[in-house]
DNA sequence: CTACATGCAAACCGTTTGCACCCTA
DNA sequence: TAGGGTGCAAACGGTTTGCATGTAG
């Protein structure tokens, strides 16, 4: 008897059945408030004693991506995809190179720039991704100590 | 007797031997002026009748990445890494969703924004990645025709 | 009751690695 | 000629898929 957070509706509206797996995975993603790898989600589920097969996690994430409830990204330029709950559609990331923490940034500095670029290039620009990299305050300290 | 484009020097300076493979791969990357997947490079080499093993391509790209002559990125959020010749250090991309063409953008609209964000977040920001997505002029036409 | 969802195991595919041979410096 | 570079084939790891079974609507 989990509290209805509203996404069951959205699932149904999109023609997806509202199953235990889907609700559990959405819960994890929303709670974490961070992009997560499929396996991280899998582990987080296990920690709550929810047993869902890894391939089901992948399939679920794919379904949720298809109905725009989840977005798949590759932030670190490695071979692991990350998945995040698609709350607001538009967001940017500030990533700590040290501890890998990911901050979400809501305000977007690129409003007028897209227009400019459209004129220059004749592209019809639909969106963009912006990732910023650096060291968070804690990791700046650690870094200093190690040197 | 290939013309010396100057990168042989840089190889040596970095302690890497100047081999046929490394020169050929750098040539391809520079010529293409686009981020390329390892296999694309492999194919491009083959088309010039240069036979280099795929794993050598990967190893070469890794070596070149280590000395900052090449950068590895994931633009399309898929499972293929792309590699590009690291000409200027700082650049952004405008990617056509239709034909997958990638334009490189030199000027960066994020100068002051990073400072702002540093103050807000206490991060020490080292850099960022900006990818813009849309349809190029040709693909806008195609799209219209297909609808 | 039926179509969609899931578990399981095997396949897949881009990438990496161990080892023997090759070639640059 | 020594030590890094390369080819080859096998391993690796994240992700996908085929098939039989389970379950939401």
């Amino acid at each position: 008897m989990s509290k209805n957070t509203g996404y069951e509706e959205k699932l149904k509206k999109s023609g997806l059945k509202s199953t235990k797996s889907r609700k559990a995975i959405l819960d994890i993603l929303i709670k974490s408030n961070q992009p997560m790898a499929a396996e991280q989600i899998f582990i987080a589920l296990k920690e709550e004693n929810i047993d869902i097969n890894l391939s089901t996690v992948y399939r679920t994430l794919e379904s949720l991506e298809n109905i725009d409830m989840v977005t798949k990204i590759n932030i670190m330029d490695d071979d692991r995809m990350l998945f995040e709950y698609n709350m607001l559609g538009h967001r940017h990331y500030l990533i700590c190179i040290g501890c890998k923490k990911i901050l979400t940034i809501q305000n977007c500095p690129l409003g007028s720039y897209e227009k400019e670029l459209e004129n220059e290039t004749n592209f019809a620009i639909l969106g963009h991704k912006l990732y910023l990299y650096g060291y968070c305050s804690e990791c700046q300290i650690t870094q200093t100590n190690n040197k």
Side-chain angles (χ1 to χ4, degrees), chain A residues 56 74 119 140-141:
Chain A
T56 302
N74 186 308
N119 293 336
Q140 287 172 54
I141 296 166

Side-chain angles (χ1 to χ4, degrees), chain A residues 42-54:
Chain A
F42 176 71
I43 291 168
L45 288 166
K46 203 155 253 175
E47 278 166 5
E48 301 191 359
N49 293 311
I50 301 171
D51 214 334
I52 297 177
N53 195 280
L54 223 204

Side-chain angles (χ1 to χ4, degrees), chain A residues 25-38 40-41 44 61 70-71 73 75 81-87 91-96 99-105:
Chain A
I25 289 171
L26 280 169
D27 259 340
I28 296 283
L29 278 178
I30 291 168
K31 239 186 295 182
S32 98
N33 202 31
Q34 290 244 108
M36 296 174 82
Q40 286 181 282
I41 297 171
L61 290 168
V70 157
T71 309
I73 55 176
I75 287 186
M81 298 298 137
L82 302 183
F83 300 84
E84 64 168 344
Y85 182 59
N86 209 359
M87 236 176 301
R91 58 170 67 177
H92 302 316
Y93 303 94
L94 179 53
I95 300 134
C96 177
C99 62
K100 312 295 181 201
K101 172 172 48 208
I102 300 169
L103 262 68
T104 300
I105 299 163

Side-chain angles (χ1 to χ4, degrees), chain A residues 3-146:
Chain A
K3 58 176 179 289
N4 187 335
T5 42
Y7 49 68
E8 301 202 26
E9 253 177 84
K10 181 151 190 191
L11 285 177
K12 275 179 204 165
K13 220 183 303 177
S14 310
L16 293 187
K17 287 181 182 166
S18 172
T19 68
K20 173 195 131 197
S21 303
R22 285 174 184 158
K23 286 186 280 181
I25 289 171
L26 280 169
D27 259 340
I28 296 283
L29 278 178
I30 291 168
K31 239 186 295 182
S32 98
N33 202 31
Q34 290 244 108
M36 296 174 82
E39 193 163 16
Q40 286 181 282
I41 297 171
F42 176 71
I43 291 168
L45 288 166
K46 203 155 253 175
E47 278 166 5
E48 301 191 359
N49 293 311
I50 301 171
D51 214 334
I52 297 177
N53 195 280
L54 223 204
S55 58
T56 302
V57 173
Y58 278 107
R59 273 194 277 231
T60 301
L61 290 168
E62 199 192 343
S63 307
L64 295 174
E65 201 193 353
N66 289 338
I67 63 169
D68 287 321
M69 287 189 77
V70 157
T71 309
K72 182 175 163 189
I73 55 176
N74 186 308
I75 287 186
M76 297 304 288
D77 290 321
D78 59 10
D79 51 6
R80 277 189 141 192
M81 298 298 137
L82 302 183
F83 300 84
E84 64 168 344
Y85 182 59
N86 209 359
M87 236 176 301
L88 298 165
H90 194 81
R91 58 170 67 177
H92 302 316
Y93 303 94
L94 179 53
I95 300 134
C96 177
I97 302 170
C99 62
K100 312 295 181 201
K101 172 172 48 208
I102 300 169
L103 262 68
T104 300
I105 299 163
Q106 300 295 352
N107 71 320
C108 171
L110 293 166
S112 56
Y113 179 67
E114 282 195 359
K115 296 274 171 220
E116 257 176 67
L117 205 58
E118 285 198 322
N119 293 336
E120 278 176 41
T121 61
N122 290 320
F123 263 63
I125 297 179
L126 300 177
H128 59 255
K129 289 184 183 153
L130 174 59
Y131 307 144
L132 296 120
Y133 301 83
Y135 288 100
C136 69
S137 45
E138 292 90 45
C139 288
Q140 287 172 54
I141 296 166
T142 314
Q143 242 201 331
T144 313
N145 291 343
N146 290 346

